Amino acid sequence: MKVIKHSRTKYLFLGISIFFIMYIFYTRVEPIMVCDPDDWTYISYIRIPLPLWKNWNPAKVLPECLIGILGYFSVYCVYPFTQNYLLSFMYVYAFVVAFVISAYIVFLARTINKIFESSDAVAILVSFCGFLLHFVLFRASAGETSKFLFTASNLNCFMNYIVPTLLSVIVATGFIVIEITDNQKDDIWKIIKNSYNFQTILKVGTVLAILYFTILSNMACNIVFIAPCTYIFLNRIYEKIRQQKVKELISINFIKRNILYIYIFVIELVCLIFEANGGRASSLEVDWKTTFFNTISDLYSVLVKCNRVIVICATIVLVIALMLVFLNRKDKQEAKIRNFFRISWYSLLLVDFYMFFLFARIGDNKIARSENVLTLLVYGIILCTGSIAYILKRFNAVMLAMPLLTVVMYIYAIGGTYEPSISYYEGNTKICLAVNENIIEQFITADKNNIDEIELHIPERGLGNYSFSGERIANTLYKHGIISRRYHPILVLEDISYFGRD
């Protein structure tokens, strides 16, 4: 018992360390701030937590509930202490994103520990290197802005893409570990039958709820979870066929055994059908020949931004691990490791093929955005991390280099200048804050003076790109109790210098 508690303390320390690093990053270095009309819209919008037929985003249940819930929490629980309306959102959303990232790294460490039977220290050190890979993979030369895998175009995209992707990874690693180490644990019927009590039912219900929100988060992200699930399910079918037990595929026992995966695939099917018939999908026109070419061009633009040294080193690590797996393919003691690599490589390929065809359909160069590059490469990161752990398992002497490697990567990571977390105002958060404070003040002044109609001065570039910006801002300020009436402002476009900034 003491050993287990001591082990948990180590992983807790890892999680707190990652959280602290990312929270400072998202509040001081590249703050997550309200900056565009979508941010202003969704921080006060909480949708019905069900797929909505013909809605603009029919199956984005998780983000379109979570963003609004956190928005109201910011206003009612944090704003009274900070006395700064806009910064309250930054503190809350930075906290949530940092927490999810820390959970992702902790689950990655636990996966390494379970699959490779590494010590806690090795698992934690290797997973921390995996964390640093998200920064150094695109690390540019000194003075140049670097893309990295933990950023998004705006607050809304953090919650619509980064959080769902990482949640999908967290749940996926849990399924992978259970399947590889004890594939009987996912048999819901067996669990309930062996321990039929309220606590067990509650646990199973909680799992089902987590899966529901993970899948109904974003069809561009949930593939990260769906990919390993398809491998596990298809592999179970293959095993029955290989054992010449085809008739068992339609048996009650087989259905019960795989009821959790059937549940997952049904929800995913609902997600895809609803999204295919949603407002966003209907608004997209596609010329497949053109979009295929453009998507390939987008992927190439991402590839050329990669740090060549890091890519070469990662490739060497992956190749060495593959060679070791091949050379030890008959070693029964390494069956878990081989399964881990099979599932991870399969998932990487399926995710990337899926993303290519999806974003060829969506277009608009969106596959090159950092939030989508994370989805493309997340299994690549997991494979690199697992490969390092496997090399250390086979060659203990390599551990001598790990502390130095980790320190070098960390210093290299913190020395970079990273892509901003806001898409407007050239990433300048001070200008963003000044503009939004000015806009809020215009509404408050009009409200205090009982002015019914307002001419809202907004920047020509940015919020002024959209005719609905003023109304969305006004609606959120009213919902949050900042102003006492609803306004339908007339937009007056101004140069950025109007707001007191050059």
Side-chain angles (χ1 to χ4, degrees):
M1 184 66 70
K2 289 182 179 180
V3 174
I4 294 174
K5 288 183 178 180
H6 185 58
S7 178
R8 288 177 178 175
T9 301
K10 292 178 182 177
Y11 291 101
L12 180 62
F13 177 77
L14 171 66
I16 292 173
S17 299
I18 299 296
F19 172 81
F20 179 77
I21 291 170
M22 295 312 301
Y23 187 73
I24 295 298
F25 187 88
Y26 289 135
T27 56
R28 305 299 300 175
V29 182
E30 294 295 346
I32 299 175
M33 301 187 71
V34 175
C35 73
D36 79 353
D38 281 344
D39 295 346
W40 276 108
T41 301
Y42 290 105
I43 58 174
S44 65
Y45 169 73
I46 302 175
R47 65 174 281 163
I48 298 171
L50 297 169
L52 301 174
W53 188 253
K54 294 294 183 180
N55 196 38
W56 182 253
N57 292 313
K60 279 190 177 181
V61 175
L62 175 67
E64 292 187 0
C65 290
L66 186 60
I67 301 174
I69 291 170
L70 294 176
Y72 282 103
F73 179 84
S74 302
V75 172
Y76 294 125
C77 299
V78 180
Y79 178 38
F81 295 98
T82 63
Q83 294 298 303
N84 188 304
Y85 177 71
L86 293 167
L87 292 184
S88 298
F89 297 114
M90 180 187 72
Y91 296 137
V92 171
Y93 288 104
F95 182 97
V96 171
V97 177
F99 176 81
V100 174
I101 291 173
S102 64
Y104 157 52
I105 300 301
V106 169
F107 269 75
L108 181 57
R110 292 294 289 168
T111 300
I112 298 299
N113 173 249
K114 295 287 186 180
I115 301 298
F116 296 90
E117 298 178 351
S118 304
S119 67
D120 294 331
V122 170
I124 288 169
L125 192 61
V126 169
S127 63
F128 188 74
C129 287
F131 165 70
L132 295 175
L133 267 177
H134 292 80
F135 292 88
V136 301
L137 186 59
F138 291 94
R139 174 75 156 78
S141 303
E144 296 181 16
T145 301
S146 304
K147 182 187 288 287
F148 74 107
L149 299 180
F150 286 141
T151 194
S153 304
N154 49 49
L155 182 155
N156 184 59
C157 286
F158 267 101
M159 304 307 294
N160 272 277
Y161 294 91
I162 299 296
V163 170
T165 295
L166 296 181
L167 176 61
S168 294
V169 179
I170 290 168
V171 179
T173 53
F175 270 63
I176 291 170
V177 169
I178 290 172
E179 176 65 18
I180 292 174
T181 58
D182 185 358
N183 63 7
Q184 297 300 315
K185 287 184 179 179
D186 60 357
D187 188 338
I188 288 179
W189 297 103
K190 186 176 179 181
I191 293 171
I192 295 175
K193 183 179 179 180
N194 291 344
S195 180
Y196 189 82
N197 56 51
F198 175 79
Q199 187 175 2
T200 302
I201 299 297
L202 181 62
K203 287 180 179 178
V204 172
T206 301
V207 169
L208 296 179
I210 291 172
L211 295 178
Y212 173 86
F213 285 107
T214 300
I215 298 168
L216 295 178
S217 57
N218 191 328
M219 66 178 293
C221 304
N222 66 16
I223 185 62
V224 172
F225 169 57
I226 297 298
C229 288
T230 62
Y231 179 93
I232 293 169
F233 186 68
L234 291 174
N235 187 61
R236 290 180 179 182
I237 293 175
Y238 169 75
E239 286 298 317
K240 291 296 181 184
I241 296 172
R242 189 176 63 83
Q243 296 168 8
Q244 298 182 345
K245 298 178 179 178
V246 178
K247 290 183 179 180
E248 290 187 11
L249 293 175
I250 56 174
S251 68
I252 297 297
N253 287 335
F254 184 82
I255 293 172
K256 285 184 176 181
R257 172 80 176 81
N258 294 281
I259 192 67
L260 191 59
Y261 290 97
I262 295 170
Y263 171 78
I264 289 167
F265 297 141
V266 167
I267 297 177
E268 173 64 2
L269 185 61
V270 169
C271 175
L272 294 175
I273 292 173
F274 272 68
E275 285 291 346
N277 292 276
R280 182 183 293 276
S282 301
S283 70
L284 299 173
E285 296 181 2
V286 61
D287 175 353
W288 284 106
K289 183 177 180 180
T290 302
T291 56
F292 265 55
F293 175 80
N294 289 341
T295 305
I296 292 171
S297 178
D298 291 338
L299 291 174
Y300 178 76
S301 71
V302 172
L303 180 64
V304 297
K305 289 181 180 179
C306 288
N307 185 298
R308 292 183 181 179
V309 174
I310 300 298
V311 170
I312 291 171
C313 291
T315 302
I316 291 172
V317 167
L318 289 170
V319 170
I320 292 173
L322 282 174
M323 290 174 62
L324 290 172
V325 169
F326 178 77
L327 292 172
N328 297 281
R329 63 189 181 280
K330 295 182 180 180
D331 188 342
K332 293 182 179 180
Q333 293 182 346
E334 294 195 356
K336 292 191 295 185
I337 294 173
R338 289 194 294 275
N339 286 336
F340 169 81
F341 281 113
R342 288 193 194 105
I343 295 173
S344 298
W345 276 108
Y346 168 90
S347 298
L348 175 65
L349 293 173
L350 180 58
V351 167
D352 287 0
F353 273 111
Y354 174 90
M355 292 288 285
F356 177 84
F357 287 104
L358 176 64
F359 281 91
R361 173 72 175 89
I362 294 172
D364 199 24
N365 309 113
K366 289 186 177 181
I367 197 170
R369 290 185 178 182
S370 293
E371 56 262 30
N372 295 319
V373 176
L374 171 64
T375 308
L376 282 168
L377 297 181
V378 70
Y379 275 109
I381 298 290
I382 291 172
L383 279 164
C384 284
T385 308
S387 296
I388 295 171
Y390 188 39
I391 292 170
L392 290 173
K393 180 181 178 68
R394 299 297 303 185
F395 305 104
N396 292 334
V398 178
M399 190 64 194
L400 290 170
M402 285 302 296
L404 177 60
L405 173 64
T406 305
V407 171
V408 169
M409 287 180 68
Y410 181 72
I411 294 173
Y412 190 52
I414 63 175
T417 302
Y418 293 102
E419 194 175 87
S421 299
I422 61 173
S423 53
Y424 295 149
Y425 318 114
E426 298 179 349
N428 191 316
T429 53
K430 291 183 179 179
I431 296 177
C432 177
L433 189 61
V435 168
N436 282 327
E437 285 178 342
N438 183 288
I439 290 171
I440 293 170
E441 188 59 35
Q442 291 180 59
F443 279 110
I444 291 175
T445 300
D447 190 37
K448 285 182 177 179
N449 294 325
N450 293 316
I451 297 173
D452 294 325
E453 295 184 359
I454 177 177
E455 289 187 346
L456 181 66
H457 297 262
I458 64 173
E460 185 175 4
R461 295 180 61 188
L463 294 173
N465 292 339
Y466 306 93
S467 59
F468 50 75
S469 292
E471 193 138 346
R472 291 192 177 188
I473 296 171
N475 188 50
T476 289
L477 292 176
Y478 173 75
K479 285 183 175 180
H480 286 168
I482 305 301
I483 54 178
S484 63
R485 67 188 77 189
R486 293 184 182 272
Y487 280 103
H488 303 280
I490 300 169
L491 298 185
V492 179
L493 304 185
E494 302 283 0
D495 186 81
I496 199 70
S497 59
Y498 173 87
F499 300 90
R501 298 281 177 174
D502 296 327

